[in-house]
Each structure stands twice: as C-alpha cells, then as structure tokens.
Amino acid sequence: MRIAPTLLAVLMLIASPASPGPVFAPVKVPVHLYNGGPDYVVGGGLAAFDCNGDHLPDLFAAGGAARAMLLINRAKPGGAVNFAAATPPELALRHVIGAYPLDIDGDGIVDLAVLRVGRNLLLKGRGHCRFTPFKGLGFVSTAHWTTAFSATWENGAIRPTLAFGNYVDRSNPEGPFKACDVNLLYRPKGARYVSPVVLAPSYCALSMLFSDWNRSGHADLRISNDRHYYVSGGQEQLWKMAARPRLYTQQEGWHRQMLFGMGIASRDITGDGLPEVFLSSMGDQKLEMREPGHPGPSYRVVPYRLGTAAQRPYAGGDTRPSTGWQICFGDVNNDGRDDVFIAKGNVDQMAMSALKDPNNLLMQAADGSFAEAGLSAGVASMARGRGAVLIDFNADGRLDLAVANRRAPLEVYQNETADSGNWLELALRQAAPNVNAVGAWIELRSTGRLQSREITVGGGHASGHLGLAHFGLGAATSARVRVIWPDGRTSSWQEVAANARLMLQPSGGKSLIVTPY
C-alpha cells in the first residue's frame, strides 16, 4: 500500500536527538493469577484507579475462576513502586473477566463496572477502597459472558451511557460457532437505567470504545470482534450513537474488515488533533489512520515499514504468528512522542500461534516509525499476557507497567529509564454529573508540537484506567495547555511549568483553574 503524501507529511516529525532506551525493573507484588477453563481464555483485566484518596493508582485484578484481588498502592512519591493485597469482601469475587473505573453517580468517588461470566455488576465506591452494589439505578444484568465495556455521557444525561460487549452465547445448543451473543447498550432515563438496547448484529466483541473519532462533539462506539467465532458475515463495527443506534456503512466510508480482534486503543500520535486507532489481533496488529480529506469514518492500515504490525515474536525462538491483547499508548521515555506497549500471549495451546510470545514495547522515532525495545527494556515476558495498564504508580513522572497473565502471576514493572525527558500529568475535574470530564480533550503545545488527548472510558482488553493523563515534553521546561470540555466550552491556552501533577478545572470564563494534584 502506498502512503498518501499528505499522510506522510503528517507522520514526519521534527528531528531530535536520540532519547535514552527505556529500562523497566520487575517489582515483587502479591502473587495473583487469572485462572480457569475455557470461559477464561479471554479476559484477564486490570482496573487502575485511586480508591483511597492518596492520589496514587491502586489495582483491581480479575481472577477468572479464582477470586479477584485489590492491590493497594503503598509507594511514596518518587520512591519504589510497592503494592499490598487488601481485598475487601465485596471485591473478592469469582468469575470476573475484567473491570473499568468510572464515577457513575457524580459524587467524586470512583465506582466500578465489573465484567463477569454471569451477571455484571455496578459497584458504588464508598471511599477507603470499599464498595457496595448500587441501589436505585435500575440497572439489571442477566447472565452473559461479558468481555468488553465502554461508557460515555451523552448530551444532557445525568448518568453515563454504558455499553457491554458479550462473547459467545453459552446457552446456544449449537454453539460455540455461529453463536455470538448480542451486545447491550444501557441508556439512562433521568437518574435510572431502562431496559437495554440490543446492538445487533454482534460478532463476539472483545473490546469496545466510545470515541469522538472526528471531533464532532459526540462519541460513537467502535467494537472489535473475534473472527474465530463469527466465522462468516462478521466484521469490525462502528455504531453511530443516534436516537436509534445504527452501523456506519460503506457508503459513508466504513471499510469492511475482518479480524481476530482482541483490543482497541486510540490516540492522536501524528499531531493533527484526530485520534488514530490501534487494533490488536491474532497475527498483525493494525494501526489505522483516517484517510486524508474523507469526511466519514474511512480508515486505512499504516504501511508495514512503520514497524507497528508486530506480527511475530522477536525473541524466544518461536516464529509462529503472535497474539496481541491489551494495547497501551504512552510516552515511556518522555521524549514527547507516544510509544506503544502490547501484551502478548497464546490464547491457550493454539498450535497455529506462538507459544513463546513476548510482549512488545514499540518506541516511536522522530520520523513516526516504531522500533522494538521490549527485550532491552526488560518487559519481554513469555507469560500469556492479557490486560495491562501503563501509568505512573509512584508519582515520579515516568510511566510504570502492570500486566495480568493467564495462569501465570501478575507482573508489575517500575520505569527506571535514566535521563528521561520532562513531563506533565494532568487530571480534569468539573461539576457533576460527569465529574471526570469523560469526552473532554486536553490539548498541549510544547516545542512547536501539538499533543491531543481524549478522556475515555473503555477500550483495551477488559482493562481500564481512570486518573491522570501523562504527557512527555522532551527538553521543554513548560507547555501551553487548554481543555475542550464535554459540553463544547473551550478554555484559553494557559502556560504551566513542566514536571508537575496538576488538576485542571473550568472557571466561570474561559480560563482554567490550575491547582497541584
């Protein structure tokens, strides 16, 4: 495939000196495995969020057939990454596939959407890392094999719209082939949820994400599906969130694409203000960009030479195709360019796929290409990786890593990259109901470059993070920041000093209220 000249121009960034190679050191944490039989070959998620108000992210880890675990962050700011197990009874759940943090009721305390083999749960955060089932929401879940989730606030709503993606319909006597369960959309009516809207056709979702892909001011729902089960007639999907949701069509620019889809991640990595989409799968991982000049959702996979396909193991001696799961964007050396972590691992014992399948750490160069650094960085685990989070655990401005594994212990790594660049970590707050400003965009300018970041809930593979947005700044000692809030209000640009954790809030006018986080 030839790359369009305009797209090539977007990809070419200003050259800068080579950044230091990333270095991650393993951290000893309480032993936790994602276990179980065929119902748990998928899933294995992590939810990262601050559950006790100390401004450090804690971890909730799915256990599959085993019990889930809550790990409390005991790190001191700038010190060693340190976690301790402290699972309250209400989180010691079995049959958990994954979880996503969000503030459902707008009280400023993070809640949890828990995906399960069985009935899904919405758990209300009570503070001090305690939770109770929500009462009075009207949310009712029947038993499903739920493997995907996303949430957004639609215009004027006082509760979030919730999308649950379901895998194989285990009650179908002719399954598992051609037996994909339907997906469900819960829209609020006032403060309560009514019966869900069925999103059909459905093709065994393994990841979904609400995203404002064209910066129109509202989010649509992208779903990545597992071709292994939909067999025929299926494809990747983008649902337009109209009063009656509908699929985008080929006439509108949507390209039919059939994947062994596992995970979705979205990030503007070209600096044009629009998000790219990265899809993990069995075989090639697919980084997709909008076709220049096309008004609809027309995406093309980037050229192979950019180094993002990550289709075979680079270590371990197994040359069969890789299996990608969680994709995490993040600038791990703070050079101002987003890198990519991909959790890898065989579904179980699939002979056509690599059994020794190390995780990827793809480092972005100044020309927009990516190079593998997983082995030298120390994150090339051969465990069957599933969910992951790439966030700053110890408030030192460097992104750390946690990876959940099937039938192998949870792995946590501290980022010890020397001489990494400057950074900013930004949290958004606004009035209820959408206190974390899901759907907002943060725009940051430094050294002539624009970084745009959408605040979303969903994507990944059964794993989510709610907290600070991390930006690498390279050598820049300050940056100009503005926020496009979910209701469309746009703040003025405001300069802030580098190497700080800040909270941004709207003022009565266009300025930002900036306070230490």
Side-chain angles (χ1 to χ4, degrees):
M1 168 184 161
R2 294 185 61 191
I3 187 166
T6 52
L7 181 56
L8 184 60
V10 169
L11 286 170
M12 299 300 293
L13 305 179
I14 298 171
S16 60
S19 300
V23 176
F24 287 81
V27 176
K28 186 176 181 180
V29 295
V31 175
H32 179 72
L33 288 73
Y34 179 73
N35 270 334
D39 288 347
Y40 306 103
V41 295
V42 296
L46 296 172
F49 60 103
D50 176 14
C51 69
N52 56 11
D54 65 356
H55 291 184
L56 294 173
D58 308 295
L59 284 174
F60 177 62
R67 294 191 185 279
M69 177 182 283
L70 181 66
L71 294 102
I72 302 299
N73 193 335
R74 302 298 191 196
K76 302 296 183 184
V81 172
N82 181 20
F83 283 95
T87 311
E90 62 271 19
L91 293 186
L93 301 164
R94 296 188 187 275
H95 314 302
V96 174
I97 290 283
Y100 289 83
L102 72 163
D103 189 344
I104 294 172
D105 57 358
D107 65 354
I109 302 174
V110 180
D111 311 308
L112 279 177
V114 182
L115 315 187
R116 304 176 72 225
V117 178
R119 296 178 185 273
N120 299 313
L121 300 174
L122 297 182
L123 298 179
K124 177 177 173 57
R126 293 291 186 183
H128 307 289
C129 300
R130 299 304 302 267
F131 296 83
T132 57
F134 266 104
K135 295 181 179 179
L137 273 187
F139 174 81
V140 176
S141 173
T142 53
H144 295 277
W145 186 0
T146 301
T147 46
F149 177 83
S150 191
T152 191
W153 268 259
E154 297 187 270
N155 288 339
I158 63 174
R159 296 282 185 262
T161 294
L162 311 174
F164 289 84
N166 299 314
Y167 202 45
V168 173
D169 182 357
R170 298 179 305 139
S171 67
N172 189 316
E174 298 178 359
F177 290 96
K178 299 187 179 180
C180 292
D181 202 353
V182 297
N183 301 322
L184 299 174
L185 184 75
Y186 289 81
R187 277 175 156 162
K189 187 174 183 180
R192 292 177 57 84
Y193 291 100
V194 295
S195 297
V197 176
V198 172
L199 298 181
S202 52
Y203 301 117
C204 291
L206 282 177
S207 186
M208 50 179 34
L209 179 65
F210 281 111
S211 173
D212 184 4
W213 55 273
N214 60 353
R215 301 293 295 265
S216 65
H218 80 276
D220 293 319
L221 180 65
R222 184 153 188 167
I223 304 179
S224 192
N225 300 304
D226 186 358
R227 184 176 181 176
H228 181 65
Y229 287 108
Y230 65 63
V231 181
S232 62
Q235 60 173 301
E236 298 293 283
Q237 295 172 304
L238 180 63
W239 288 86
K240 183 176 178 61
M241 286 293 105
R244 294 183 63 181
R246 65 168 181 83
L247 288 167
Y248 279 93
T249 65
Q250 288 180 287
Q251 289 73 28
E252 293 172 294
W254 181 251
H255 295 297
R256 181 180 178 85
Q257 189 173 191
M258 301 170 71
L259 300 179
F260 296 100
M262 305 294 191
I264 300 173
S266 179
R267 181 68 60 89
D268 173 22
I269 61 172
T270 64
D272 67 351
L274 295 171
E276 281 66 56
V277 177
F278 211 151
L279 306 173
S280 60
S281 72
M282 295 175 63
D284 291 359
Q285 321 311 307
K286 298 184 182 297
L287 176 61
E288 298 184 345
M289 295 182 177
R290 290 276 303 282
E291 288 191 297
H294 199 294
S298 187
Y299 288 82
R300 294 291 185 185
V301 178
V302 303
Y304 178 83
R305 66 177 178 270
L306 288 186
T308 55
Q311 81 279 29
R312 294 186 187 276
Y314 57 88
D318 198 328
T319 60
R320 289 171 289 182
S322 281
T323 304
W325 297 89
Q326 180 84 19
I327 297 178
C328 301
F329 282 107
D331 186 352
V332 300
N333 58 356
N334 290 333
D335 64 354
R337 298 184 291 270
D338 274 308
D339 312 301
V340 181
F341 174 82
I342 308 174
K344 290 283 190 70
N346 198 291
V347 173
D348 198 62
Q349 296 287 337
M350 297 188 74
M352 67 179 184
S353 300
L355 290 176
K356 293 183 177 180
D357 198 0
N359 303 322
N360 297 106
L361 183 60
L362 304 178
M363 302 298 295
Q364 187 181 176
D367 65 357
S369 65
F370 290 79
E372 183 60 62
L375 192 62
S376 60
V379 297
S381 171
M382 297 293 178
R384 293 179 181 85
R386 290 297 189 265
V389 289
L390 185 63
I391 54 176
D392 184 358
F393 286 132
N394 58 346
D396 68 350
R398 293 178 290 189
L399 293 174
D400 308 300
L401 176 67
V403 186
N405 298 305
R406 173 165 163 76
R407 296 206 307 259
L410 169 73
E411 295 171 312
V412 175
Y413 301 88
Q414 180 168 341
N415 188 337
E416 297 184 348
T417 305
D419 301 321
S420 59
N422 294 322
W423 53 274
L424 277 169
E425 292 179 345
L426 306 176
L428 301 187
R429 291 290 185 274
Q430 63 174 14
N434 180 9
V435 297
N436 297 113
V438 174
W441 286 83
I442 303 172
E443 294 185 339
L444 181 149
R445 289 191 180 276
S446 63
T447 61
R449 294 191 61 236
L450 173 69
Q451 296 186 59
S452 301
R453 191 72 49 81
E454 184 182 15
I455 306 302
T456 61
V457 174
H461 180 68
S463 299
H465 163 229
L466 186 67
L468 294 156
H470 175 275
F471 296 84
L473 301 181
T477 57
S478 66
R480 298 174 67 223
V481 177
R482 74 172 182 178
V483 178
I484 296 88
W485 297 97
D487 63 4
R489 290 174 298 161
T490 300
S491 75
S492 354
W493 290 97
Q494 184 156 336
E495 187 162 354
V496 294
N499 303 325
R501 307 172 90 221
L502 303 172
M503 180 181 291
L504 310 182
Q505 297 173 277
S507 71
K510 286 191 173 183
S511 62
L512 289 171
I513 300 172
V514 180
T515 54
Y517 182 83

